[in-house]
Amino acid sequence: MGLGEARERVRCDWARDKDEAACKLYEEYHDNEWGEAEHDDKKLFEKLVLEGFQAGLSWITILKKREGFRVAFDGFDPAQVARYDSKKIESLMQNEEIVRNRAKIEAAILNARAFLKIQKEFGSFDKYIWGFVGGKPIINAFESVEDLPASTSLADIIAKDLKKRGFKFVGSTSVYAFMQSVGIVNDHISSCFKRHSALGNHSADFRDFEGSQTISLVSPQKSLKNHESTATNLRMLDFNNQHCGTRDSKVDSKYIKSQGREDFEYKNGALQDEARELPQAVMTEAQVKQSPFLAQKPTPSKVLCAVSGGVDSSVVATLLYRAIGENLIPVFVDTGLLRKGEREAVEKMFKENLKVPLIVCDASKLFLGRLKGVIDPEIKRKIIGETFIEVFEKEAKKHNTKGEIKFLAQGTLYPDVIESVSVKGPSKTIKSHHNVGGLPEWMKFELIEPLRELFKDEVRALGRELGMPESMLMRHPFPGPGLAIRIMGEVNKRDLDLLREADSIFIEELRKQGYYDSVWQAFCVLLNVRSVGVMGDNRTYDNTICVRAVEAIDGMTASFAHLSHSFLESVSNRIINEVEGINRVVYDITSKPPGTIEWE
């Protein structure tokens, strides 16, 4: 056998699978597409959209459904996709030939509109995207898939520019995978026959592209452990065959365990997105100096992290602590709007389970004072958000005597982002989130949100791989504004105490009867509606508690939980008998849409 024949049989390690059909798909994609220079705008749009759908899923799932995607999305014609309306979205949600995820479908529509704007500005998306490398591909020289980077400074630059132009699901890691798929970067390993066939084959220069630049990369050094995963290329991260048809973006924890922590961190892009926002904390000094984009940037050494005690912010804190250690300043603010025993539970968890030093600020009087007399729910949220940032800035000054802190980290998820922007043209914002949209003008910190493109189930799976306790991972979502948006009307200490007691009873009963883990979220709402009741021989005129429990996949849609009547009766009896001031309990059977999960 000649040397040329031997090379033809050698592929990158990721192009394998135990399943014969999946292996064939991988090989065809590897041999004919991955790393090949693509200049057709429709093909570029297709791969950009599919990279977005792949987030949180396996690439083999996308390859198996690619033909279905092409039919469903009109051949990935951006002009047609840009015109999709709510009726078309509902049709796609019923199409079993694609990944049915509403947020990603809506993101594809937004991306199509942004894509058309770029075509109008540059003449083609091809000129725009290839202009970043002067029309010539980057050909790396990696010895094995373990050496492949999760992202690069160039991918970060492109991702940021795409986001500024309105694109969604374009994190630095996803953009680098896109660059690989369209041949902007050729990351075939040295022994792979595709790398040898590509040497010297550069695309034509784009002489009419103003500001185009040729980027040349040297083989990067391996990333620091737990800062940036280099375990494998995205294409190696695959689900078991039975998950090729799963709906939405669920993650198989068994698969994750079999692949190891670094693989999953890579697949979800959590550490990579965190790393790209903190380049000096996760790149070697030599790499920073080599980058013309980072060399002049002041070196931040500390990150202020907003910790609520919930799954999202706790995962962020754990990721950052493992990445930058003592340079993380995790701050937990007691707003006075927390659930019963929450502060104590969070302090214990961070100390005993996560081994992460936690700074606790008691700002309850400040929050309650500013909420006094406020009834409008949107104003409540904005007051809480602004006060939250203000408290952080004050706390930061205690740890920022030499200007060390430059970043603020938060646990924003993708559903938070979707609900805070207009998705379908003139649609209205559903609600504002105090941890979405950046910081007020007077703030001096740059916002980083490593979980911004992930869903709740993906965050839980990531947290599980980081070794976080199950009791914490499976806690129901809790809103940033806390109990303030579960009290109808003005927020005061008396009503908060009433709500805490009722909510504690409800959660306790859910756990006792085995319902807690089967519902997405459960809580009580104090309606501040009084009615006549009878307690013993006396008539009462007291408050009403609404009990709410919903089932959901990612929080974008939800239906009320069908709890048994006997269970609801026992909850009602306990609340009325044990919480003085409550004489009536009702159950909310509204789904989302048309309602939201929270009442305010």
Side-chain angles (χ1 to χ4, degrees), residues 386-402:
E386 290 171 1
T387 305
F388 207 78
I389 297 297
E390 182 181 328
V391 171
F392 270 159
E393 186 182 34
K394 184 178 180 180
E395 183 62 31
K397 290 178 181 178
K398 300 177 184 178
H399 309 274
N400 196 41
T401 55
K402 297 180 181 180

Side-chain angles (χ1 to χ4, degrees), residues 157-376:
I157 291 165
I158 296 175
K160 287 180 178 178
D161 193 63
L162 287 171
K163 287 179 180 180
K164 286 179 182 178
R165 294 174 180 275
F167 285 83
K168 303 298 178 185
F169 282 107
V170 285
S172 182
T173 304
S174 295
V175 167
Y176 191 70
F178 170 74
M179 292 165 65
Q180 292 172 317
S181 71
V182 302
I184 292 175
V185 173
N186 187 309
D187 272 349
H188 286 286
I189 62 176
S190 298
S191 59
C192 177
F193 80 95
K194 285 297 294 182
R195 180 182 182 275
H196 288 276
S197 68
L199 286 176
N201 292 339
H202 299 286
S203 301
D205 291 329
F206 285 79
R207 297 184 178 85
D208 58 338
F209 183 88
E210 292 185 5
S212 67
Q213 53 193 336
T214 301
I215 306 293
S216 92
L217 300 180
V218 297
S219 297
Q221 301 176 31
K222 286 189 177 182
S223 303
L224 299 177
K225 187 176 182 181
N226 287 333
H227 288 178
E228 183 178 11
S229 169
T230 57
T232 149
N233 184 270
L234 277 174
R235 302 311 171 218
M236 287 187 69
L237 299 170
D238 197 6
F239 279 113
N240 294 328
N241 295 332
Q242 63 265 33
H243 293 279
C244 292
T246 54
R247 182 167 181 169
D248 301 292
S249 58
K250 281 196 171 183
V251 177
D252 184 346
S253 60
K254 291 182 180 178
Y255 161 77
I256 296 164
K257 289 178 181 177
S258 70
Q259 294 297 312
R261 182 180 302 163
E262 287 190 337
D263 286 3
F264 181 65
E265 289 168 352
Y266 187 101
K267 181 171 74 67
N268 274 288
L271 285 182
Q272 285 66 41
D273 284 344
E274 171 257 313
R276 67 182 169 79
E277 296 291 355
L278 292 167
Q280 288 79 8
V282 298
M283 296 177 70
T284 65
E285 183 179 352
Q287 287 173 311
V288 173
K289 288 180 178 179
Q290 288 171 1
S291 170
F293 309 103
L294 300 178
Q296 303 303 317
K297 194 171 183 178
T299 302
S301 57
K302 292 186 179 180
V303 181
L304 188 65
C305 179
V307 174
S308 69
V311 178
D312 311 332
S313 62
S314 298
V315 167
V316 169
T318 305
L319 284 172
L320 289 173
Y321 188 69
R322 294 191 180 191
I324 60 176
E326 62 183 14
N327 288 323
L328 172 70
I329 302 175
V331 178
F332 176 79
V333 176
D334 183 353
T335 62
L337 307 171
L338 305 174
R339 292 169 286 196
K340 184 178 180 179
E342 183 135 22
R343 172 175 170 175
E344 295 77 12
V346 170
E347 288 182 285
K348 180 180 179 181
M349 177 179 60
F350 269 77
K351 182 179 181 180
E352 297 182 4
N353 298 105
L354 302 179
K355 311 297 183 184
V356 176
L358 185 66
I359 299 168
V360 178
C361 300
D362 187 349
S364 54
K365 290 183 179 179
L366 177 63
F367 278 86
L368 291 178
R370 292 187 177 179
L371 289 169
K372 186 176 181 179
V374 178
I375 296 175
D376 186 279

Side-chain angles (χ1 to χ4, degrees), residues 78-194:
Q80 293 196 53
V81 176
R83 293 194 293 268
Y84 286 177
D85 54 17
S86 57
K87 184 177 179 181
K88 176 65 174 181
I89 292 174
E90 293 306 320
S91 173
L92 291 170
M93 284 296 294
Q94 303 304 316
N95 189 337
E96 296 182 0
E97 300 302 312
I98 67 171
V99 175
R100 294 175 290 174
N101 184 299
R102 185 180 300 275
K104 293 179 180 180
I105 291 172
E106 292 176 342
I109 299 171
L110 286 174
N111 289 351
R113 295 169 183 170
F115 195 93
L116 293 177
K117 290 180 181 178
I118 285 180
Q119 285 183 321
K120 184 176 181 180
E121 180 179 352
F122 293 94
S124 70
F125 187 82
D126 174 43
K127 284 188 177 181
Y128 162 76
I129 200 68
W130 278 91
F132 281 97
V133 291
K136 296 180 178 180
I138 298 166
I139 301 176
N140 289 320
F142 298 110
E143 295 301 321
S144 67
V145 292
E146 284 77 15
D147 297 327
L148 297 183
S151 184
T152 63
S153 57
L154 177 59
D156 183 34
I157 291 165
I158 296 175
K160 287 180 178 178
D161 193 63
L162 287 171
K163 287 179 180 180
K164 286 179 182 178
R165 294 174 180 275
F167 285 83
K168 303 298 178 185
F169 282 107
V170 285
S172 182
T173 304
S174 295
V175 167
Y176 191 70
F178 170 74
M179 292 165 65
Q180 292 172 317
S181 71
V182 302
I184 292 175
V185 173
N186 187 309
D187 272 349
H188 286 286
I189 62 176
S190 298
S191 59
C192 177
F193 80 95
K194 285 297 294 182

